[in-house]
Amino acid sequence: MTAGLVLPADEPATHIDAEDDDARYMAAALCLARRGLGRVAPNPSVSALVVREGAVVGRGFTGIGGRPHAETIALQNAGAAAAGATLYVTLEPCSHHGRTPPCADAIIAAGIARVVSALDDPDSRVRGQGHARLRNAGIELRTGVLAEAAMRLNLGHILRTTQNRPMLSLKLAETADGYAAAPAGAPRLKITGEGADAQVHMLRALHDAVLVGSGTAGADDPLLTVRLPGLEAYRPLRIVLDSKLALASDSRLAATAVDYPTLVITTEAASAEAAARLAAKGIEIMRVAQDGAGHVDLAEALAHLGARGITRIFCEGGPHLAAALLRKGFADELILLTSVTPLGALGVPALNVASRTLLDNPARYRRVEERMIGPDRLRRYERVL
């Protein structure tokens, strides 16, 4: 794997009480849960650890496609050692019958003596009932351990459940003097280096879908695939917001749509002929309402994506789409990659004045990470919830 590639940081270790074994085991469980990101939608990526006499005797995280659940895997892994043990789980165990029996019932049947849970599940089918079932069975229960870190990890599930939309991570690359692109007509800029580019591929793999606008699709002709050794199986849905259905039939997105799932979201007014042209390439077309400027209505588009089970979107759109997502409060995370090389001329700013003002407002965003990836600087911001 490329040198300099580092997974985004979880909750800083300083948030963990050195004397709190529960917090340490939960931190380990949260790291394990990250392995399912981008592969378990529409379910959340959950993990569970079975701990007996200070040793982990079973562990599991949500299976590909959302089944089996983490608790089921961990309990099977532990076997008879689960009796009398403590179970650490990053989200409230389910209490309803779906494709599988309730995890709460499996925990009770396994003889678990104590459960430590990070977060209540807002899903109306659970919402406290899983925890209540454990308490009623006489199991000792502690909740809220590393709740903030668990909330961030499960934000896609939480927003899809409570606001009918996926969570959205926004990535922007800028020159040292703040530009995302050169003036019109100039060659395309290559802003970041190999390490930062590999990081972007890793981030794609941690999301269910990768999103761009029609401007980026036309100017950059991207593939939006995960091209890191060992991660070829990760194929997030590629999405283009294209109100005029301008995506070229000979674009790399269109040429590879048979092999990589690709969705174009357009407006109800877009040409039926253009839609048929792209559909013939294997591209799925979704129509939503248009906003006052004639563009795809972002709120409706995100609602449709949430309804189809997408929980996490990685947006690699340009400055205009980024500004709209920030302004409307849909950018839950911003990853800003800054090179050491300036453009040295007037170009297209990566972030307009209003967007930078939002990021500098502690009531709206907080910077949670800053580090170097080779010569490039990564800064990560989270929306204040």
Side-chain angles (χ1 to χ4, degrees):
M1 196 165 290
T2 305
L5 182 62
V6 183
L7 284 174
D10 287 316
E11 184 172 75
T14 53
H15 289 196
I16 300 174
D17 186 339
E19 300 302 320
D20 191 341
D21 285 340
D22 285 346
R24 288 201 295 273
Y25 284 121
M26 188 61 74
L30 288 168
C31 288
L32 181 64
R34 291 180 60 81
R35 295 192 182 186
L37 293 179
R39 308 192 78 185
V40 301
N43 285 352
S45 185
V46 178
S47 78
L49 299 178
V50 181
V51 177
R52 185 185 180 94
E53 298 177 355
V56 176
V57 296
R59 66 174 193 164
F61 58 94
T62 308
I64 295 174
R67 296 287 189 282
H69 287 184
E71 299 94 322
T72 301
I73 298 171
L75 292 170
Q76 290 175 346
N77 189 222
T86 296
L87 177 76
Y88 293 85
V89 62
T90 57
L91 187 68
E92 178 180 7
C94 66
S95 55
H96 62 285
H97 284 270
R99 296 181 186 175
T100 57
C103 288
D105 289 357
I107 293 167
I108 296 166
I112 290 288
R114 182 171 181 263
V115 171
V116 180
S117 171
L119 196 68
D120 292 348
D121 189 341
D123 190 319
S124 60
R125 298 169 298 176
V126 185
R127 199 176 294 166
Q129 297 175 66
H131 287 155
R133 189 170 296 191
L134 298 177
R135 285 193 187 96
N136 292 339
I139 294 175
E140 181 185 345
L141 179 66
R142 182 184 178 188
T143 63
V145 177
L146 299 191
E148 182 178 354
M151 179 178 62
R152 291 291 175 180
L153 182 71
N154 290 290
L155 189 57
H157 169 68
I158 292 168
L159 289 176
R160 182 170 172 265
T161 300
T162 61
Q163 299 184 24
N164 302 313
R165 72 168 179 90
M167 72 84 67
L168 189 142
S169 299
L170 173 62
K171 186 275 296 183
L172 286 168
E174 64 175 2
T175 60
D177 45 2
Y179 295 111
R188 180 190 173 196
L189 279 181
K190 178 67 175 75
I191 296 176
T192 53
E194 180 182 354
D197 291 350
Q199 184 73 31
V200 170
H201 282 264
M202 177 62 78
L203 289 167
R204 288 175 184 170
L206 295 175
H207 292 78
D208 309 324
V210 181
L211 171 70
V212 296
S214 58
T216 296
D220 296 349
D221 194 20
L223 269 175
L224 304 181
T225 54
V226 179
R227 300 188 299 279
L228 286 177
L231 296 184
E232 294 85 358
Y234 286 80
R235 296 198 173 192
L237 176 66
R238 305 181 301 179
I239 304 172
V240 183
L241 301 181
D242 189 355
S243 58
K244 300 185 185 303
L245 290 179
L247 183 67
S249 297
D250 60 355
S251 65
R252 295 201 295 173
L253 286 169
T256 57
V258 172
D259 298 314
Y260 294 89
T262 307
L263 169 68
V264 169
I265 302 179
T266 190
T267 67
E268 295 163 349
S271 160
E273 181 181 353
R277 169 180 58 83
L278 294 176
K281 290 287 188 177
I283 295 173
E284 180 185 354
I285 306 296
M286 175 189 290
R287 293 181 182 270
V288 299
Q290 61 185 26
D291 62 18
H295 301 142
V296 167
D297 184 278
L298 291 175
E300 185 173 334
L302 290 173
H304 276 281
L305 293 172
R308 69 185 284 161
I310 292 173
T311 62
R312 294 172 55 84
I313 296 175
F314 187 59
C315 178
E316 299 186 51
H320 296 297
L321 178 55
L325 291 168
L326 285 162
R327 183 175 66 252
K328 294 178 180 294
F330 294 143
D332 302 300
E333 179 181 69
L334 174 82
I335 297 102
L336 185 61
L337 295 165
T338 306
S339 74
V340 294
T341 306
L343 178 61
L346 289 178
V348 180
L351 290 162
N352 61 21
V353 173
S355 295
R356 290 195 186 272
T357 300
L358 274 176
L359 289 180
D360 291 337
N361 182 351
R364 298 293 298 276
Y365 285 90
R366 61 178 183 176
R367 188 189 301 181
V368 295
E369 184 180 359
E370 182 168 359
R371 58 187 169 84
M372 301 302 294
I373 305 178
D376 303 310
R377 183 178 301 277
L378 179 148
R379 283 169 287 175
R380 185 166 64 91
Y381 300 80
E382 289 178 345
R383 182 174 63 85
V384 175
L385 301 175

